[in-house]
Amino acid sequence: MRQPQDIVLLLKAAGEVTRMRLLALLVQGELSVKDFTEILGQSQPRISRHLKLLADSGLVTRHAEGAWAYYRLNRDKTSGALAEWLMEHLDTDAAELRRDLEKLSGLRAAQQERAAAYFATIAQSWDKLRSLHVADSALETAIVEAAGQEPVDMFLDLGTGTGRMLELLDGKYREGIGLDSSREMLSVARAKLDAEGIEKAQVRLGNITELDDYHQSGDLVMLHQVLHYFDDPSIAIAHAAHCLKPNGRMLIVDFAPHDLEFLRTEQAHRRLGMSQEQMMLWVRAAGLDVASCRSFPPARDDGLTVCLWVLETIKPNTTKGV
Ligand SMILES: C[S@@+](CC[C@H](N)C(=O)[O-])C[C@H]1O[C@@H](n2cnc3c(N)ncnc32)[C@H](O)[C@@H]1O
């Protein structure tokens, strides 16, 4: 239960038009201050003031990442219920709110186009680029182990890029599908799979946010170095979880938190790595649990730490809280 003054704080925070617009946007997922300023067309100090009030009241949580800060709706009992109530009763077709949501999807589309343009230019050299940041061999050995001993009927590699994971796990799966939104990355993957005679795998053009055709089809689902291209990685995780068979396993490989800000501008990264706490929050929201997590220190001084998370579906009798 909350003290009366806390409830007043919560209601005051929600009870203002700009802050209500911010909350309506946050229902769509995590957003940065920069996203808000672009969508609402208001100055950064003004938006930050509103966000601070929302954060102080407990309606939203803040996560600092390099020079950016991300906000997400707090899904706890009181704040979450208030935000849900608001969204149920708020007419998102009202002109201003509809415009905000349209601007958000325009922003997301533009960000995806920037990433696609980046991958179109580096497709041929991606396999070399990947190993610049990461100690490949120890990590890859761990990935093969984490894929488990059980036979895998269907392996889904989401954001397959040049198909390295299909190649690495060849022999483990009966059928492998690599999905990616970049034609250029896929053409490198196709050539590689053909050259190596990997016949059980095929690659397809597609978006991780449109996976209805793969509902509960994968025994093993992989997101390898993909999540940091999403503004809100929890969206990609939720879509990937949707593709997992009830007893399936998901592997996520991505960077631990870092402060290499230039990766946003030079290599289309959106997130500067992800922490254990964030991952726990995102996977639990997708109905998954972290079975294990291993970190791999960089091979070079200017490299990055990479983490391998093994995820499984939450069993009905699991009562671990987040
Ligand atoms: C850094 S590469 C990683 C490729 C591969 N998993 C690997 O580790 O070698 C990220 C890949 O994710 C793809 N990608 C990014 N956003 C995507 C989306 N929304 N849907 C499908 N693929 C996406 C990019 O096109 C790119 O090929």
Side-chain angles (χ1 to χ4, degrees):
M1 293 306 257
R2 302 265 189 119
Q3 293 298 310
Q5 64 270 26
D6 293 338
I7 300 285
V8 170
L9 205 66
L10 207 70
L11 293 173
K12 275 189 179 165
E16 196 276 337
V17 175
T18 302
R19 293 196 288 277
M20 225 177 272
R21 288 170 70 187
L22 300 181
L23 289 172
L25 284 164
L26 281 167
V27 171
Q28 308 301 313
E30 283 187 25
L31 290 162
S32 66
V33 179
K34 193 165 176 289
D35 292 328
F36 288 123
T37 55
E38 284 180 33
I39 295 169
L40 272 72
Q42 296 186 12
S43 71
Q44 191 248 316
R46 207 164 157 189
I47 293 287
S48 293
R49 254 196 321 276
H50 284 301
L51 288 168
K52 184 172 181 321
L53 279 170
L54 289 173
D56 288 349
S57 74
L59 268 173
V60 304
T61 56
R62 178 181 187 275
H63 169 76
E65 214 175 271
W68 293 13
Y70 280 86
Y71 288 82
R72 70 181 284 125
L73 272 186
N74 188 350
R75 302 275 179 190
D76 81 4
K77 232 175 164 184
T78 319
S79 317
L82 177 60
E84 261 168 43
W85 182 89
L86 262 179
M87 291 315 123
E88 250 172 55
H89 293 83
L90 203 58
D91 179 6
T92 45
D93 255 352
E96 206 167 42
L97 291 178
R98 203 182 50 237
R99 248 192 335 267
D100 287 350
L101 293 173
E102 282 168 3
K103 278 195 187 165
L104 173 62
S105 62
L107 203 66
R108 291 278 185 262
Q111 282 153 358
Q112 282 226 347
E113 272 169 34
R114 271 198 295 277
Y118 168 71
F119 284 111
T121 60
I122 55 100
Q124 297 296 335
S125 49
W126 169 248
D127 283 339
K128 266 199 207 125
L129 265 176
R130 188 200 307 106
S131 54
L132 277 186
H133 289 309
V134 181
D136 259 354
S137 62
L139 172 65
E140 292 198 341
T141 306
I143 291 174
V144 173
E145 271 170 29
Q149 299 298 325
E150 299 293 312
V152 172
D153 254 348
M154 170 66 87
F155 169 43
L156 291 175
D157 184 23
L158 306 177
T160 193
T162 53
R164 175 63 192 147
M165 291 300 115
L166 292 166
E167 186 189 6
L168 178 71
L169 296 178
D170 180 36
K172 285 239 174 217
Y173 53 84
R174 199 180 54 78
E175 187 183 353
I177 294 180
L179 185 112
D180 204 283
S181 54
S182 162
R183 284 181 197 282
E184 292 79 4
M185 293 293 262
L186 289 183
S187 67
V188 177
R190 269 192 200 99
K192 186 157 69 178
L193 295 173
D194 280 353
E196 294 182 17
I198 301 176
E199 286 168 3
K200 290 176 188 154
Q202 52 175 305
V203 292
R204 295 183 190 162
L205 189 68
N207 199 303
I208 291 170
T209 57
E210 291 156 18
L211 293 172
D212 286 352
D213 290 351
Y214 302 94
H215 180 61
Q216 292 196 348
S217 62
D219 314 79
L220 182 64
V221 174
M222 168 81 86
L223 283 163
H224 186 268
Q225 297 290 12
V226 179
L227 286 185
H228 59 264
Y229 294 99
F230 280 80
D231 283 278
D232 184 353
S234 72
I235 293 177
I237 295 173
H239 284 283
H242 191 65
C243 298
L244 207 55
K245 284 185 188 165
N247 286 319
R249 178 176 288 195
M250 191 189 302
L251 305 184
I252 292 182
V253 174
D254 223 293
F255 298 124
H258 62 83
D259 56 7
L260 303 188
E261 197 70 48
F262 72 91
L263 291 177
R264 291 198 219 260
T265 43
E266 291 179 15
Q267 296 183 23
H269 290 209
R270 302 299 300 172
R271 306 300 297 252
L272 301 186
M274 37 217 74
S275 68
Q276 303 300 336
E277 296 73 30
Q278 283 174 301
M279 189 58 79
M280 188 63 98
L281 202 69
W282 295 334
V283 306
R284 296 285 297 190
L288 302 174
D289 222 343
V290 176
S292 70
C293 171
R294 275 184 70 186
S295 303
F296 296 83
R300 323 175 339 173
D301 285 350
D302 58 351
L304 293 170
T305 295
V306 172
C307 300
L308 163 62
W309 286 273
V310 179
L311 312 176
E312 288 170 352
T313 331
I314 296 176
K315 307 286 179 294
N317 61 356
T318 309
T319 50
K320 270 190 250 167
V322 258

